[in-house]
């Protein structure tokens, strides 16, 4: 009898436990996931901002960021003249950064904070996009992938417009997906305005327009109102940027002319474009071997792992009768987002203008990569738990060395400017002369690009020194570099007894060294060497 009563009691308890549901923490998580979309988006955005900001202060500022600071310090009239002459593609970005840097200062954190915020907003929008296409779980997955994608974690601490392009691309794709599902003229106008504004920030975003058109056509058909509105809105956005495109076409010489090899181009597309970001490699030395360091090897492993994940997901889908409708939407949008801009730019670069392609120019396609990889991970979720955990660890672990390498002192193409400035601040004295050597071998009586941007981005460390060869600043002659005298023509050399030489290793400055010797200067024992830069002290043998 007791056993019968006990058995009945236990059986009665089972339905009660089932009514109680899962443990408290799990119930809270489920309630949170079922809560307002804006709250989830805000949460993932804040978490992403935390991830992106870690170590933002560590890498030395470098050439491209120095241009941003220099442009932001110009008067509005000089800035207008500057973008008319060079760098029109970044004109809107410079105009936006000018009041911000005037308010916040030009420290590394102040310069990079807008980029980190832009990435955080992109992650929030990516969650909303993934949620709309395939549900909350997939939204969280694609947002997480975007936040951890090495190209995006690099853009988040780069004082240029690339993070802004990621944010605009994700937001515009979300709007395009809304437009495709419910074609309305107001949504088409909003899409046109957003794409036009984004293209003025960086004209490469126009490559996203054909990707959206193709995605809408593949998902909804070629003879639909959604496609007509998307094409019309995209055409309107492109037309508004014609003045910018015309100005850019006259400035294409600023791109340079890289000599791509087939293997180098394939590596840039398959690895660097998404799974590496920019590296600590000196820009003058070319890409390193894949096994030269942990971050380089990790990038290759990550690229292979991502490729295998995508291949596995597509093969399993084909074995089981194809992708479900909601799942297919993510693959369509993500694939078009990645393939179309990349293919168009590569064709133009290979056929006409090699300098048009650079992996960082396509940072905005990182959202498409996140969609595809997130969809692959979502398909993994149906496997046994050990398989899922092992696969996720295999994908996440290679990210860590890359993330850490991006936040080392010399991460920006081995720029060592912060260390140079700190060394001069510790060893030079007010009134000493400083010579900023050329970045490339020079010819003629005037020198273009030099290491003078060190003084622009770290003025507090070197402002008391006499710049021996300065002739014009970028703001004065509306160029990227300004100009410098040769040492023999310097009007300030006679006024100093100590000169600090800041020179790029491997660049011949023999004429300037002879001019210092002719003026009575001799090398001293004080010197310093970094990854790219040498600092030496010269003292006049017979003081004035």
């Amino acid at each position: 009898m007791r056993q019968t009563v006990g058995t009945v009691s236990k059986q009665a308890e089972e339905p009660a436990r089932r009514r109680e549901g899962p443990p408290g923490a799990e119930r809270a998580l489920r309630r949170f996931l079922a809560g307002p979309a804006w709250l989830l988006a805000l949460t993932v955005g804040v978490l992403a901002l935390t991830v992106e900001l870690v170590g933002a202060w560590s890498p030395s500022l470098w050439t491209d960021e120095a241009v941003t600071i220099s442009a932001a310090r110009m008067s509005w009239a000089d800035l207008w003249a500057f973008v008319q002459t060079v760098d029109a593609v970044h004109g809107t970005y410079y105009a936006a950064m000018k009041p911000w840097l005037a308010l916040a200062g030009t420290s590394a954190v102040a310069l990079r904070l807008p980029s980190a915020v832009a990435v955080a907003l992109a992650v929030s929008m990516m969650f909303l996009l993934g949620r709309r296409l395939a549900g909350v779980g997939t939204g969280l997955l694609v947002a997480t992938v975007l936040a951890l994608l090495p190209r995006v974690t690099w853009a988040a601490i780069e004082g240029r417009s690339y993070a802004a392009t990621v944010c605009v691309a994700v937001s515009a794709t979300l709007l395009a997906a809304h437009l495709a599902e419910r074609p309305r003229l107001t949504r088409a106008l909003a899409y046109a305005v957003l794409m036009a504004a984004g293209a003025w920030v960086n004209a490469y975003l126009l490559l996203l327009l054909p990707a959206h058109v193709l995605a809408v056509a593949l998902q909804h058909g070629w003879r639909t109102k959604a496609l007509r509105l998307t094409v019309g809105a995209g055409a309107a956005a492109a037309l508004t940027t014609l003045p910018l495109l015309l100005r850019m076409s006259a400035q294409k010489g600023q791109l340079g002319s890289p000599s791509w090899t087939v293997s180098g181009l394939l590596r840039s597309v398959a690895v660097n474009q998404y799974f590496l970001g920019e590296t600590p490699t000196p820009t003058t030395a070319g890409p390193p071997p894949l096994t030269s360091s942990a971050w380089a090897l990790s990038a290759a492993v990550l690229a292979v792992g991502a490729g295998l994940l995508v291949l596995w997901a597509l093969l399993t889908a084909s074995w089981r009768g194809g992708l479900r409708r909601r799942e297919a939407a993510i693959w369509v949008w993500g694939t078009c987002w990645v393939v179309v801009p990349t293919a168009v730019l590569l064709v133009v670069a290979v056929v006409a203008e090699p300098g048009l392609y650079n992996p960082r120019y396509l940072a905005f396609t990182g959202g498409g990569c996140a969609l595809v990889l997130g969809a692959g991970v979502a398909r993994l979720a149906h496997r046994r738990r050990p398989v899922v955990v092992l696969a996720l660890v295999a994908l996440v672990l290679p990210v860590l060395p890359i993330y850490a390498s991006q936040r080392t002192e010399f991460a920006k193409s081995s720029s060592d400017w912060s260390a140079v400035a700190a060394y001069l601040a510790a060893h030079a004295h007010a009134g000493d002369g400083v010579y900023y050597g050329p970045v490339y071998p020079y010819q003629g009586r005037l020198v273009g690009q030099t290491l003078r941007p060190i003084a622009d981005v770290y003025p507090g460390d070197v402002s008391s020194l006499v710049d021996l060869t300065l002739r014009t600043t970028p703001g004065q002659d509306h160029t990227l570099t300004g100009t410098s005298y040769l040492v023999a023509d310097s009007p300030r050399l006679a006024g100093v007894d100590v000169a600090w030489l800041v020179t790029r290793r491997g660049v011949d400055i023999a004429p300037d060294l002879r001019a210092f010797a002719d003026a009575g200067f001799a090398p001293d024992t004080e010197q310093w060497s970094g990854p790219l830069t040498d600092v030496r002290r010269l003292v006049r043998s017979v003081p004035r």
Side-chain angles (χ1 to χ4, degrees):
M1 183 67 181
R2 289 179 182 175
Q3 290 180 347
T4 303
V5 172
T7 302
V8 171
S9 300
K10 289 178 182 179
Q11 290 174 347
E13 288 174 3
E14 291 300 325
R17 276 199 289 266
R18 284 197 294 269
R19 286 195 299 271
E20 288 176 7
E26 187 176 344
R27 288 202 305 274
L29 177 61
R30 289 183 178 182
R31 282 198 299 269
F32 177 69
L33 293 178
W38 67 266
L39 181 59
L40 286 170
L42 178 63
T43 302
V44 297
V46 170
L47 291 174
L49 181 61
T50 303
V51 170
E52 309 306 341
L53 275 179
V54 170
W57 53 88
S58 299
S60 171
L61 295 166
W62 74 303
T63 305
D64 284 10
E65 292 180 313
V67 175
T68 299
I69 292 173
S70 176
R73 284 178 175 158
M74 296 177 187
S75 67
W76 287 107
D78 285 339
L79 179 59
W80 174 253
F82 173 71
V83 298
Q84 295 302 304
T85 307
V86 292
D87 226 12
V89 67
H90 293 297
T92 304
Y93 174 73
Y94 295 149
M97 290 296 286
K98 182 175 172 57
W100 165 251
L101 293 181
L103 175 68
T106 57
S107 68
V109 172
L111 178 66
R112 294 162 181 165
L113 180 59
S115 293
V117 171
V119 166
L121 289 174
V123 171
S124 293
M125 295 298 105
M126 180 56 75
F127 163 74
L128 295 176
L129 176 60
R131 174 180 175 273
R132 183 170 191 82
L133 293 176
V136 172
T138 302
L140 290 173
L141 280 175
V142 297
T144 302
V145 172
L146 183 68
L148 297 179
L149 200 65
R151 172 59 60 184
V152 174
T153 59
W154 168 83
I157 56 169
E158 175 72 358
R160 300 293 278 175
S161 64
Y162 306 116
T165 67
V166 175
C167 184
V168 171
V170 175
S171 302
T173 304
L174 175 61
L175 195 52
H178 277 276
L179 175 61
E181 291 178 5
R182 296 182 180 179
R184 300 287 188 275
L185 182 59
T186 52
R187 290 182 177 180
L189 289 174
Y191 173 75
V193 169
L194 180 59
M195 283 303 302
W200 276 92
V201 172
N202 193 309
Y204 279 86
L205 274 169
L206 290 173
L207 295 171
L208 193 60
L209 293 174
H212 286 165
V213 169
L214 181 59
V216 173
L218 291 175
Q219 191 177 10
H220 297 277
W222 293 90
R223 296 182 178 180
T224 60
K225 181 180 179 181
L227 183 61
R228 291 194 297 272
L229 285 176
T230 304
V231 171
L239 284 174
T240 65
T241 63
L242 277 179
L244 174 63
L245 297 177
L246 291 173
R247 179 57 57 186
M248 286 173 54
S249 66
Q251 300 175 2
K252 62 182 182 180
Q254 300 297 331
L255 293 170
S257 299
S259 53
W260 291 108
T261 62
V262 174
S263 61
L265 192 59
L266 288 175
R267 177 180 170 182
S268 291
V269 174
V271 180
N272 294 19
Q273 189 164 307
Y274 301 115
F275 306 113
L276 186 55
E278 302 306 298
T279 73
T281 309
T283 55
T284 55
L290 289 178
T291 57
S292 65
S293 55
W295 50 263
L297 180 60
S298 296
V301 170
L302 186 60
V304 171
L308 291 175
L309 172 66
V310 170
L311 180 62
W312 174 85
L314 293 176
L315 286 176
T316 55
S318 66
W319 293 337
R320 298 178 182 180
L323 296 167
R324 297 187 301 274
R325 185 176 181 278
R326 295 188 77 186
E327 190 179 11
I330 278 196
W331 286 95
V332 168
W333 283 97
T335 302
C336 292
W337 194 345
V338 168
V339 172
V340 174
T342 303
V344 171
L345 191 57
L346 281 175
V347 169
V348 175
V350 170
V351 172
E353 186 62 50
L356 282 172
Y357 176 77
N358 190 303
R360 63 175 174 264
Y361 297 166
L362 289 169
F364 68 89
T365 64
C369 182
L371 279 183
V372 171
L373 293 181
V377 174
R379 181 160 280 274
L380 268 179
H382 302 293
R383 309 295 291 178
R384 294 180 179 178
R385 184 169 297 180
V387 175
V388 176
V389 172
L390 182 62
L392 291 178
V393 168
L395 287 172
V396 172
L397 278 183
V399 171
L400 300 180
I402 304 168
Y403 179 86
S405 76
Q406 291 173 349
R407 282 149 176 79
T408 58
E409 183 177 8
F410 306 134
K412 303 285 187 178
S413 293
S414 287
S415 174
D416 49 15
W417 293 357
S418 59
V420 170
Y423 182 83
L424 291 174
H427 295 84
H429 299 284
D432 287 354
V434 61
Y435 162 82
Y436 295 108
V439 175
Y440 304 104
Y442 57 84
Q443 297 177 346
R445 307 301 298 184
L446 293 179
V447 183
Q449 187 174 358
T450 70
L451 294 173
R452 182 168 296 108
I454 294 173
D456 294 331
V457 298
Y458 297 107
D461 293 332
V462 299
S463 60
S464 64
L465 305 180
V466 178
D467 192 330
L468 297 175
T469 56
L470 173 64
R471 181 177 178 270
T472 61
T473 65
Q476 290 170 333
D477 60 11
H478 308 137
T479 65
L480 286 171
T481 63
T483 57
S484 299
Y485 295 108
L486 295 179
V487 171
D489 301 329
S490 170
R492 308 177 190 93
L493 184 60
V496 301
D497 291 327
V498 175
W500 294 87
L501 275 60
V502 180
T503 57
R504 172 65 65 87
R505 190 171 304 118
V507 177
D508 182 21
I509 57 168
D512 283 342
L513 291 177
R514 286 195 296 270
F516 275 114
D518 292 343
F521 285 85
D524 189 49
T525 56
E526 197 70 56
Q527 60 182 2
W528 176 90
S529 291
L532 290 180
T533 309
D534 294 324
V535 180
R536 289 171 285 174
R537 183 175 184 258
L538 302 183
V539 179
R540 195 186 294 272
S541 55
V542 180
R544 293 170 291 122

